[in-house]
Amino acid sequence: MSTQYTAVIWNREKKRYDRYLAGLIGLFLLAFCGLTLALQPEITAETLIIRATGTTALLLLHLTLMIGPLCRIDPAFLPLLYNRRHLGVTTFFFGLIHGVFNLIQFHSLGNVNPLVSLFTANVHYGSLSNFPFQVLGFGALVILFLMAATSHDFWLKNLGPKAWKTLHMFVYLAYGLLVMHVLLGVAQAEHSPVAIGFLGMGVVTVISLHLAAAFFGQRGQFTAAAGEDFVEVCGLADIEDKRAKVCLIGKENIAIFKYDGKLAAVSNICKHQHGPLGEGKIVDGCITCPWHGYQYLPENGCSPPPFTEKVSTYELKLVGDRIFVNPRPHPEGTRVEPVEIPRKHE
Amino acid sequence: MNRFPFYIGWSADVPPKALQRARAFLLLACCLFGVGGAWLALAQGEFSNAVFEYGQATELEGVLVTRPAPALKVAVGDAGSETYQRVLLVGYGKFGATGILQTVAEREGFDLDGRRVKVRGSLLYRDGKALLELSEGDAAFLEIGQPRSLSSSRELYGETSLSGEILDAKCYFGVMKPGEGKPHRSCAVRCLSGGIPPVMKARLADGRLEYVLLVGPNGEQITDRLLDFVAEPVSLCGRAERLDDWWVLYVDLNQGVGRLGLSYPADIPMCR
Ligand code: HEM
Ligand code: FES
């Protein structure tokens, strides 16, 4: 929602977020490297760096993947989501150090280009236990790179939110690749069940949070098949003031807001990163996205000037105290007169 | 986009409930990262006490032999006892010493095999075995003397079958930890194809561990035939002997390499 782009817009919250993130990583590195060096000083520096950075990256990826569903289950977690981008970029950065050190250690100074060696040294692509697991790590690193490189709003704007969102869904592929990277890699050599146990816990946590979010995210959402002109959604009392009711009618994802004695309906999908507008709030007369605070005017779905984002609007009807919506969207930014709520219902 | 005076669309301050959630999440993450870091550190397998004296030069004198693998025969024990240790010679990075020996032989105009030489390089050692990395390439040869005929202590064991893991000598005996097993597989392939001698870490019938140099029936290099089988449990057949302080297996390739695969219960061969 900017008219121009800066590399990173810093504010107090982002700085605090980054401080906590740095502290968390420091804590891990201190515990892991400190104990390893104290107990096994025979370890080589390369192995220590490789293990410490790879594990940090995978841990951070778990946090990144947990935040989304947590916020859908309980919006009070939203402050964690606000600066998730820094978490993602940090994940990539640690994965990069790990990958580069591995390429240097295992593939450089040989008779083949290191990147060629990565794919051709071990060619047991048909075996599970002998599978060239490093290739899986490389694939994940490429995805993390693309995501980190396009994480800025500049790219979001240029790719369009749909392509951008699709690209960022690849994070799940990266996650799957990394789980296999560890299972077919170190897990084949290390005998302790601790690492596998941790990974198993991580996978179970990520999957169950997503399942829970899919379940709880539908809570209070109205669903109907498309077809009729106007669809009855809910009663006036079902919507809190300055809040919305989300309804899914056919393929239309609609948020119906109640504010200042009026009703207005817009698309539930934020133009920024497809955040759920219906979980947002009316602030200063604008629908405000819960994810990063983009704003839209309820009556026409347009961001207040100088911003240019627009979402679709929908026709509403009030019969008694029942709210009806017409699921056929108006073109983005079309003004639709809000429905006045008669005094007796307020 | 941060023109709004509130934090994530709610209010000027983070609502108490959100603050509480963020704190809880942070606390949990701290526990996870702290305890996890410590636990994962403790759970790591033991690292060997192998040493690579990287950047540290040592001068060694001895008789150069090229078979079964390039090595320097260095006298050990009392003078005149005729006990020798074979210090395997390898090149810089993931290369063997053969290329360097060829360069020097061409430069000098004679074969180096059996000559008394003085070389400089970085030592690697583990479990009583030693290697010397000729880090400076052909400049590592400081002196080249006359051919000397030296007896080798030899013990023939006859036809046998050995099982264990095929490794590259350089990583295992010093450069990398761990320099064996699945995570190291592609590196071992790289090192072996660069000419570093293949060694089997073999478990003998009586439970003892032996390091066995692998060559063809006539002492020739067979690395290409082994590349597919490194870093996994395999068995090899052939004629075995002990040559000074190393075991050598003259691998009978007609019998093939047996994949044991016992320590890989997860293996489901998909297209083998
Ligand atoms: C070019 C890309 C990559 C290569 C070549 C690579 C290679 C490797 C290798 C060889 C190991 C075994 C190291 C050992 O013996 O301990 C390993 C382990 C591991 N890798 Fe990767 N990796 C890559 C990318 C990644 C990425 C992007 C991540 C995470 C975001 C990752 C996470 C891990 C983890 C958690 C382990 C287990 C801990 C460890 O042993 O280091 N890897 N990787
Ligand atoms: S998704 Fe970022 S502000 Fe809506």
Side-chain angles (χ1 to χ4, degrees), chain A residues 21-237:
Chain A
L21 181 57
L24 210 53
I25 294 169
L27 186 68
F28 173 80
L29 292 180
L30 198 72
F32 183 79
C33 299
L35 259 182
T36 302
L37 284 174
L39 298 173
Q40 302 214 56
E42 304 85 12
I43 193 175
T44 61
E46 292 89 341
T47 301
L48 186 62
I49 293 170
I50 285 170
R51 291 194 170 172
T53 50
T55 315
T56 305
L58 193 53
L59 277 169
L60 292 179
L61 188 60
H62 275 95
L63 292 192
T64 317
L65 290 176
M66 283 160 67
I67 290 173
L70 272 179
C71 291
R72 287 187 66 196
I73 295 167
D74 181 353
F77 280 107
L78 278 164
L80 298 170
L81 192 124
Y82 182 58
N83 207 13
R84 187 166 52 164
R85 173 182 157 207
H86 289 199
L87 199 53
V89 174
T90 312
T91 303
F92 161 69
F93 184 67
F94 274 87
L96 181 68
I97 304 177
H98 168 86
V100 167
F101 264 86
N102 272 310
L103 276 176
I104 293 176
Q105 157 125 317
F106 294 129
H107 300 280
S108 70
L109 299 178
N111 57 351
V112 179
N113 176 303
L115 277 175
V116 175
S117 174
L118 177 67
F119 290 93
T120 56
N122 176 0
V123 288
H124 288 271
Y125 287 92
S127 153
L128 208 55
S129 70
N130 288 338
F131 194 87
F133 72 101
Q134 298 192 30
V135 171
L136 303 174
F138 182 80
L141 188 62
V142 170
I143 295 176
L144 292 179
F145 166 72
L146 289 177
M147 288 177 49
T150 59
S151 65
H152 196 269
D153 280 355
F154 168 81
W155 281 100
L156 183 58
K157 191 102 179 181
N158 282 283
L159 290 172
K162 200 154 185 183
W164 187 89
K165 191 88 186 171
T166 310
L167 174 65
H168 281 238
M169 288 307 274
F170 274 98
V171 72
Y172 294 105
L173 175 61
Y175 182 61
L177 289 175
L178 286 174
V179 170
M180 295 315 284
H181 176 65
V182 175
L183 284 183
L184 301 182
V186 267
Q188 301 281 327
E190 294 281 322
H191 297 297
S192 159
V194 172
I196 301 258
F198 263 105
L199 186 63
M201 262 169 46
V203 173
V204 168
T205 310
V206 166
I207 292 178
S208 26
L209 276 179
H210 278 81
L211 289 178
F215 180 71
F216 290 115
Q218 312 289 324
R219 236 180 354 185
Q221 178 181 301
F222 172 90
T223 317
E228 309 159 54
D229 268 0
F230 274 90
V231 179
E232 183 178 348
V233 175
C234 61
L236 269 176

Side-chain angles (χ1 to χ4, degrees), chain A residues 1-2 9 11 13-14 20 24 27-28 31-32 35-36 39-40 42-44 47 51 55 59-60 63 66-67 70 74 76-80 82 104-112 117 121-122 124 126-131 133-134 153 184-186 188-190 192 194-195 198 243 279 281 283 288 290-295 304 307, chain B residues 1-10 12-14 17-19 21-22 24-26 28-50 92-95 174-178 180-187 189-190 193-194 227-229 231-232 259 263-264 266-272:
Chain A
M1 198 153 176
S2 359
I9 305 162
N11 62 17
E13 300 309 339
K14 283 191 186 173
Y20 287 141
L24 210 53
L27 186 68
F28 173 80
F32 183 79
L35 259 182
T36 302
L39 298 173
Q40 302 214 56
E42 304 85 12
I43 193 175
T44 61
T47 301
R51 291 194 170 172
T55 315
L59 277 169
L60 292 179
L63 292 192
M66 283 160 67
I67 290 173
L70 272 179
D74 181 353
F77 280 107
L78 278 164
L80 298 170
Y82 182 58
I104 293 176
Q105 157 125 317
F106 294 129
H107 300 280
S108 70
L109 299 178
N111 57 351
V112 179
S117 174
N122 176 0
H124 288 271
S127 153
L128 208 55
S129 70
N130 288 338
F131 194 87
F133 72 101
Q134 298 192 30
D153 280 355
L184 301 182
V186 267
Q188 301 281 327
E190 294 281 322
S192 159
V194 172
F198 263 105
R243 296 296 198 132
E279 289 169 29
K281 190 176 177 179
V283 177
T288 306
W291 281 12
H292 315 92
Y294 272 39
Q295 292 191 309
F307 303 104
Chain B
M1 77 186 208
N2 298 299
R3 61 199 186 100
F4 311 118
F6 56 85
Y7 180 48
I8 35 134
W10 255 228
D13 301 304
V14 184
K17 198 175 156 209
L19 205 61
R21 289 284 188 284
F25 187 83
L26 193 68
L28 204 74
C30 278
C31 292
L32 188 75
F33 276 49
V35 174
W39 207 348
L40 288 172
L42 291 172
Q44 289 174 103
E46 222 174 296
F47 294 100
S48 78
N49 57 1
Y92 181 70
K94 296 177 174 57
F95 289 99
V175 177
M176 282 180 202
K177 299 179 185 182
E180 59 187 311
K182 172 77 191 282
H184 186 258
R185 183 175 186 124
S186 22
C187 181
V189 169
R190 196 74 296 120
S193 35
L227 285 183
D228 229 19
F229 302 95
E232 60 175 305
R259 275 212 160 87
S263 69
Y264 294 148
D267 196 22
I268 302 164
M270 291 189 278
C271 62
R272 209 180 275 151

